[in-house]
Amino acid sequence: NFAQGYGARKDFWQVYFTAPTGSSDRSTYVGGVDQAVIDAVNSATGTLDIAAFEWNIPRLTDAVLSAKNRGVVVRMVVDNEHTVEDEDSTIERLIDAEIPMTYDERSAFMHNKFMIIDRSLVIMGSMNFTMNDAYRNNNNMIFMRSSRAVEAYQQEFDTMFNGIFGPKKAAHELSFTADGVPVNIYFGPGDDVLSALNAELSKATRQIRFMTFSFTQDSVGNTLMERANAGVTVTGVFETRGSETDSSELPRLFCVGLDVRQDGNGYTLHHKVFIIDDSTVITGSFNISDNATRSNDENLVIIQSPDIARLYIQEFERMMSQSRQPDPADMRCG
């Protein structure tokens, strides 16, 4: 484990969670799970492909520059608005180093946060490559050493690096098994991520737990209520910001009696996670929103592993222990 984070590994995967202290003092932002990313970049010997929505961790920027200087072929795809146009970004150092870079200049987002290292390791999850996401916000990452995972993410990266974003991308979801663990990978909006998510949630027979930054998609709310009506226990934690709006799913899930709460992090709960029946984890960059469904470039992974699920349940229980019940007056029930 890290001073400010949690980690575990088994077989082809490693899982990491941030552990925000609530501090706004950047001098305390050390010993976090960003170190696992930095270590992975430092291990690169041949290639490093990065898809970044945001970018401002100085030590990670140093590691990428060091990789380039020792001969690693580095390429990047970034969201223009949230890197080049962001005052806190350290992307200019990489641009000055002439690292090949493709910019998504659409109003929609290139919202991915993944890396492919030496065509053998994929790093993915909800954590942007920023100080806030590593030290202030609740996030998760999965490292996958799998040739099939690399195949999927490499195709997505290469498509975007060639300037093809959003609905113009072809579908290329991939299903495979690694070390006996079934894995499904989806990339929006080319793949129908929303249908895959609802289909997986519909398989729940005992329990669904979720942690969501943005949850405004009615169809997923409907699926959760259908499962609850069928006797499945549904519990969830919402990022407080935006959770009381008319578009949020929190009020209507709360008003039908589900145990749904608001997070206790003074900064941001940034997870996009569902855990089904103690055995399946759904995670990635994909917020449960129309923008994620229709226009943003996103990725989502469904992994059927009780071992991984156990780790995410521990994180869920940490979030629940810090959460609070919504004020019924704010939920406008009835």
Side-chain angles (χ1 to χ4, degrees):
N1 282 352
F2 298 81
Q4 294 192 51
Y6 307 91
R9 67 179 65 197
K10 183 181 178 183
D11 300 328
F12 72 97
W13 55 262
Q14 296 162 261
V15 170
Y16 298 97
F17 301 97
T18 60
T21 64
S23 171
S24 59
D25 179 359
R26 280 203 172 200
S27 69
T28 68
Y29 293 175
V30 293
V33 297
D34 57 327
Q35 188 61 50
V37 182
I38 292 166
D39 290 346
V41 169
N42 286 337
S43 75
T45 59
T47 59
L48 172 60
D49 289 334
I50 302 170
F53 176 60
E54 297 177 310
W55 185 272
N56 70 20
I57 301 176
R59 293 186 299 268
L60 180 55
T61 304
D62 291 342
V64 172
L65 290 171
S66 294
K68 180 182 186 296
N69 290 339
R70 66 175 178 270
V72 174
V73 177
V74 182
R75 302 185 299 170
M76 295 185 70
V77 174
V78 300
D79 186 84
N80 192 64
E81 180 182 348
H82 290 86
T83 53
V84 179
E85 298 176 15
D86 180 2
E87 290 180 1
D88 290 333
S89 180
T90 53
I91 201 77
E92 291 292 345
R93 294 177 59 201
L94 303 182
I95 295 171
D96 290 345
E98 299 183 345
I99 288 174
M101 206 169 293
T102 298
Y103 308 97
D104 179 7
E105 298 181 336
R106 302 172 303 145
S107 58
F109 297 156
M110 197 300 298
H111 194 242
N112 291 299
K113 321 95 171 41
F114 68 78
M115 294 187 182
I116 311 162
I117 298 175
D118 289 338
R119 299 186 185 270
S120 63
L121 170 67
V122 170
I123 298 173
M124 58 77 62
S126 68
M127 195 185 92
N128 289 305
F129 303 116
T130 65
M131 297 296 283
N132 274 356
D133 261 15
Y135 290 94
R136 291 184 177 183
N137 303 337
N138 299 111
N139 279 293
N140 69 96
M141 294 185 293
I142 299 181
F143 290 33
M144 293 184 282
R145 289 195 178 277
S146 158
S147 60
R148 299 303 304 284
V150 167
E151 175 188 336
Y153 279 87
Q154 195 67 62
Q155 181 178 342
E156 178 72 358
F157 180 88
D158 291 345
T159 298
M160 294 188 297
F161 190 76
N162 289 327
I164 302 171
F165 294 98
K168 294 180 179 179
K169 294 184 305 184
H172 66 98
E173 65 187 68
L174 183 66
S175 302
F176 61 94
T177 300
D179 294 332
V181 174
V183 181
N184 295 77
I185 300 176
Y186 302 88
F187 298 96
D191 296 333
D192 187 354
V193 182
L194 190 61
S195 291
L197 171 60
N198 278 315
E200 200 64 35
L201 291 172
S202 295
K203 297 176 185 177
T205 60
R206 298 186 308 279
Q207 187 163 16
I208 297 172
R209 303 170 174 93
F210 65 88
M211 307 175 278
T212 56
F213 169 64
S214 175
F215 185 179
T216 58
Q217 231 297 325
D218 287 346
S219 71
V220 180
N222 292 341
T223 300
L224 294 183
M225 289 193 288
E226 289 166 4
R227 288 291 81 208
N229 290 336
V232 173
T233 301
V234 177
T235 52
V237 184
F238 284 71
E239 158 58 31
T240 300
R241 186 171 75 251
S243 66
E244 297 174 0
T245 63
D246 290 340
S247 58
S248 173
E249 294 299 305
L250 174 62
R252 73 184 190 119
L253 295 180
F254 177 85
C255 291
V256 298
L258 298 186
D259 184 4
V260 286
R261 308 184 187 187
Q262 295 168 314
D263 82 294
N265 185 341
Y267 291 105
T268 300
L269 183 147
H270 197 240
H271 291 304
K272 307 93 168 54
V273 168
F274 292 85
I275 311 155
I276 302 170
D277 290 344
D278 298 346
S279 60
T280 299
V281 170
I282 302 173
T283 188
S285 70
F286 186 86
N287 287 311
I288 318 306
S289 68
D290 286 342
N291 284 343
T293 302
R294 297 173 182 168
S295 55
N296 292 352
D297 289 284
E298 308 278 5
N299 70 97
L300 178 138
V301 173
I302 301 173
I303 302 183
Q304 298 175 46
S305 165
D307 290 325
I308 294 177
R310 193 174 304 116
L311 298 167
Y312 277 83
I313 290 167
Q314 291 172 3
E315 174 71 356
F316 176 81
E317 290 174 348
R318 285 190 287 265
M319 298 305 96
M320 284 291 281
S321 71
Q322 301 167 14
S323 70
R324 59 182 178 273
Q325 295 280 356
D327 184 340
D330 295 328
M331 296 295 97
R332 306 176 300 281
C333 298

